[in-house]
Amino acid sequence: MPTPLISSRLRRPLVAFAAVGAALVTAVPASAAPAAPQEASAPAAPAASAAPAAPQAVWAAGTRAYLVITAPGDTSAVRGAVTANGGTVFAHYDAIGVIVAHSTSASFAGTMRGVSGVQQVGATRTSDVPADAYNPALPAAPSQSPTTLTESNRWDMTQIKADKAWAVSTGSASVKVGVLDTGVDDLHQDIAPNFNAADSVSCAYGRPDTRTGAWRDIGDHGTHVAGTIAAARNGKGVIGVAPGVRISSVRVAEPTTSMFFAENTICGFMWAGDHGFKVTNNSYYTDPWMFNCPDDADQAAIIEGVRRAQQYAEGKGSLQVAAAGNSNYDLANKRTDRSSPNDSTPVTRTITNACIDIPTELPGVVTVAAMGNGNVKASYSNFGRGIIDVAAPGGDGAYGVYSTLPGGKYGNMNGTSMASPHVAGVAALMVSADPGATPADLRARLAAQANDTACPSDSRCTGTTADNAFFGEGQVDALKAVGGTPPPARYFENTTDVAVIDNTTVESPITVTGLTGNAPAALRVGVDIKHTYRGDLVLSLVAPDGTVYLLEDFPDGDSADNVVKTYTVNASSEVAAGTWKLRVRDSAAQDTGRIDAWNLTF
């Protein structure tokens, strides 16, 4: 298997293995971004058989793209200023006050920032806009290879109980899911039954191209993502998480470079909102900056423009799901970025948490981390306390995520790109069951149905079993999403504070119900104690029959604050059901604290 550690824009590895005798498929590194329609005040979208509308000027070497941001509504005055100051209007989205401008003038941004009514201006690239933007070539329609593969349960689908969920619901054909990516092979035997051509588009370069086939894959990444979400349940190849919903392709990647610039992403989110997508999947970051920093004028405009477009889509009822990234990076503790700008010469720069990964760190977007086979973090997955919302299988090592590839093929990929579509599929099942659910409803339900996943013995994983830096609220559960009967709960928590005062012993109880037989030989005890001198503390677990298991007697000289730790106890001789207690003894004066929370995982 290829190593899944990536620094490329797409949230996935560089190689996929095609199925059943097909040639090895080498995936081109690429990014994906969404596409959007022009506002009512913009020129009408071209007919499906026509070429995109002619630009206002011919391409010239040195052409750069800019976001010019003004108040939402009528942008005509600012558009006039763009033209008067050496630019052309390539696209405009009046509902959010965003204009995509092109100019060859090095002073364009500075001049426009002084124009009345202009709030922000930012270059979206450090390289020239390709000439292809003015007369885009259509992606080729790949020839198709019929498959002899038959559907079978795959580890990623059983891990999130999708195979059990299908007995309850496969999703509704009235639910549209947008794949904002490198494009989708709509002719693939496992995608064609669920493909929605009427609402598919290319948003490469920042304005919608509705010609037939403009949405097709310029790589293989988008097709793989689409199959994970909604490959048809037709006896062939694979089954998606929600095989009854409809897939729309919004190609935001540009050919040759496979990059997803801010104007492409804006176009995609606007399209999603105006075309009724209930869910979109975003397995990319917006080029050329891995992190956009608000103290940089160009990057601040990118943040604001994409934020407005996402907010517009959400206001129209669309939930955005996004991959967290594949750099094994702590998104809650940002320090450096060595890979940006990726469209010219990257430099090493110092950054802070104010700098954000777009779109995954935008408000309202569901941020997804990747897991391997089992309750483990994928080695490459980004993480971060308060950043990660939920987790899902992304593949790692010998276990890749198997899905569709262009030309009727199938293969494995690893990445948070592969985790995110599992969550998008679960969200699609939820909205199929409740068509009136809002994006806020879906976010809350994704958190509620997720199976709590405890931190491993890794100091980077901070938080509790219920919500931590590696897995957020936990791994998604498709069976719970469709209202199926879940297995008995194996995670129990008490979040009631118990004061720990000087020279006393206190206890906090957890009553375990619904389990039969004995506790496991590796009972996990998660402890979150706030205390100003933990050398005072002795921690024990008390079983229902009164047996005491010492967890830790801290050395008297340990002056560190707090205990946030998971212990493993061989409790196989104890009956699981009953009241368990965490016992905390404070053996000295002066320093005090509290039991903030604790939990048991059977």
Side-chain angles (χ1 to χ4, degrees):
M1 293 298 296
T3 181
L5 293 172
I6 336 166
S7 59
S8 61
R9 297 168 298 283
L10 282 179
R11 308 308 201 184
R12 55 109 174 115
L14 302 182
V15 179
F17 289 96
V20 202
L24 180 69
V25 178
T26 304
V28 180
S31 317
Q38 294 177 327
E39 296 303 310
S41 59
S49 59
Q56 298 182 29
V58 295
W59 180 86
T63 298
R64 295 294 173 92
Y66 300 86
L67 298 182
V68 180
I69 297 176
T70 185
D74 182 4
T75 66
S76 57
V78 175
R79 281 186 275 132
V82 167
T83 304
N85 286 285
T88 60
V89 175
F90 188 77
H92 58 101
Y93 302 97
D94 288 6
I96 61 171
V98 173
I99 299 164
V100 180
H102 289 176
S103 180
T104 57
S105 171
S107 62
F108 176 77
T111 301
M112 285 300 300
R113 287 174 186 138
V115 171
S116 176
V118 172
Q119 298 172 353
Q120 290 176 274
V121 180
T124 64
R125 308 166 186 246
T126 62
S127 59
D128 289 358
V129 174
D132 185 67
Y134 288 74
N135 188 24
L138 285 174
S143 58
Q144 300 295 310
S145 300
T147 186
T148 58
L149 291 171
T150 57
E151 296 165 345
S152 60
N153 288 339
R154 304 178 338 257
W155 73 269
D156 56 313
M157 294 297 167
T158 58
Q159 186 159 306
I160 65 167
K161 304 185 186 71
D163 55 329
K164 294 180 174 64
W166 299 327
V168 180
S169 171
T170 56
S172 169
S174 66
V175 172
K176 292 187 282 190
V177 179
V179 176
L180 279 53
D181 214 290
T182 60
V184 173
D185 178 8
D186 56 304
L187 305 177
H188 193 290
Q189 60 220 343
D190 238 345
I191 291 175
N194 291 336
F195 192 76
N196 173 23
D199 293 304
S200 293
V201 72
S202 169
C203 268
Y205 310 115
R207 66 181 178 197
D209 178 354
T210 59
R211 292 177 296 164
T212 298
W215 58 72
R216 289 197 176 119
D217 210 332
I218 60 166
D220 53 24
H221 186 266
T223 299
H224 194 278
V225 163
T228 297
I229 297 170
R233 197 179 185 192
N234 57 2
K236 302 175 182 178
V238 297
I239 309 173
V241 176
V245 305
R246 301 282 281 167
I247 285 290
S248 299
S249 173
V250 180
R251 178 168 69 86
V252 288
E254 298 178 6
T256 307
T257 63
S258 294
M259 288 191 171
F260 304 77
F261 293 99
E263 59 267 36
N264 309 5
T265 308
I266 290 167
C267 172
F269 285 154
M270 298 297 289
W271 184 271
D274 285 336
H275 287 258
F277 295 175
K278 299 301 291 185
V279 181
T280 71
N281 186 80
N282 303 269
S283 292
Y284 60 92
Y285 74 77
T286 301
D287 297 303
W289 306 99
M290 177 176 283
F291 301 105
N292 285 270
C293 300
D295 59 355
D296 178 280
D298 292 327
Q299 294 165 44
I302 290 172
I303 293 171
E304 179 63 12
V306 180
R307 183 197 66 79
R308 289 188 186 189
Q310 194 292 123
Q311 188 176 56
Y312 177 86
E314 182 169 337
K316 293 284 189 175
S318 179
L319 175 73
Q320 276 57 253
V321 178
N326 303 323
S327 300
N328 195 24
Y329 192 100
D330 185 354
L331 296 174
N333 188 32
K334 300 185 182 86
R335 293 291 181 268
T336 57
D337 174 14
R338 296 183 175 88
S339 62
S340 306
N342 60 14
D343 66 335
S344 54
T345 303
V347 297
T348 298
R349 57 181 183 145
T350 300
I351 62 173
T352 69
N353 286 345
C355 303
I356 61 172
D357 185 337
I358 294 175
T360 197
E361 288 192 87
L362 289 174
V365 175
V366 175
T367 304
V368 182
M371 302 178 72
N373 186 5
N375 290 335
V376 294
K377 172 188 173 293
S379 59
Y380 52 80
S381 182
N382 286 356
F383 58 96
R385 181 77 188 276
I387 306 295
I388 301 302
D389 291 307
V390 290
D396 203 7
Y399 291 92
V401 172
Y402 194 70
S403 187
T404 48
L405 295 174
K409 299 181 177 66
Y410 300 83
N412 286 309
M413 287 187 181
N414 300 331
T416 56
S417 276
M418 286 60 255
S420 182
H422 286 88
V423 178
V426 169
L429 291 175
M430 288 179 170
V431 78
S432 295
D434 181 7
T438 66
D441 293 334
L442 295 176
R443 283 194 298 271
R445 292 174 193 177
L446 281 169
Q449 59 77 52
N451 291 316
D452 294 327
T453 307
C455 282
S457 297
D458 188 325
S459 61
R460 300 174 303 163
C461 188
T462 58
T464 66
T465 298
D467 188 359
N468 58 57
F470 278 10
F471 310 112
E473 297 280 354
Q475 182 170 231
V476 293
D477 188 315
L479 182 61
K480 289 182 183 177
V482 297
T485 302
R490 295 188 177 276
Y491 174 80
F492 302 85
E493 185 175 33
N494 187 339
T495 59
T496 302
D497 289 354
V498 176
V500 178
I501 59 178
D502 290 335
N503 293 301
T504 61
T505 298
V506 298
E507 293 180 338
S508 176
I510 287 179
T511 300
V512 173
T513 60
L515 297 182
T516 59
N518 284 9
L523 176 64
R524 295 175 68 85
V525 184
V527 174
D528 186 350
I529 295 173
K530 302 297 188 289
H531 198 280
T532 53
Y533 192 97
R534 67 185 184 195
D536 294 352
L537 302 180
V538 179
L539 312 184
S540 302
L541 176 69
V542 183
D545 67 357
T547 302
V548 178
Y549 295 85
L550 177 66
L551 299 177
E552 189 161 5
D553 183 349
F554 288 92
D556 293 345
D558 188 342
S559 61
D561 294 343
N562 307 330
V563 182
V564 181
K565 195 169 182 180
T566 299
Y567 300 92
T568 300
V569 174
N570 183 353
S572 57
S573 63
E574 305 291 340
V575 174
T579 299
W580 298 72
K581 298 175 184 177
L582 175 65
R583 179 178 292 171
V584 179
R585 178 164 60 90
D586 183 307
S587 58
Q590 294 187 343
D591 292 275
T592 61
R594 69 181 186 274
I595 301 173
D596 200 41
W598 75 287
N599 58 73
L600 294 169
T601 304
F602 288 83

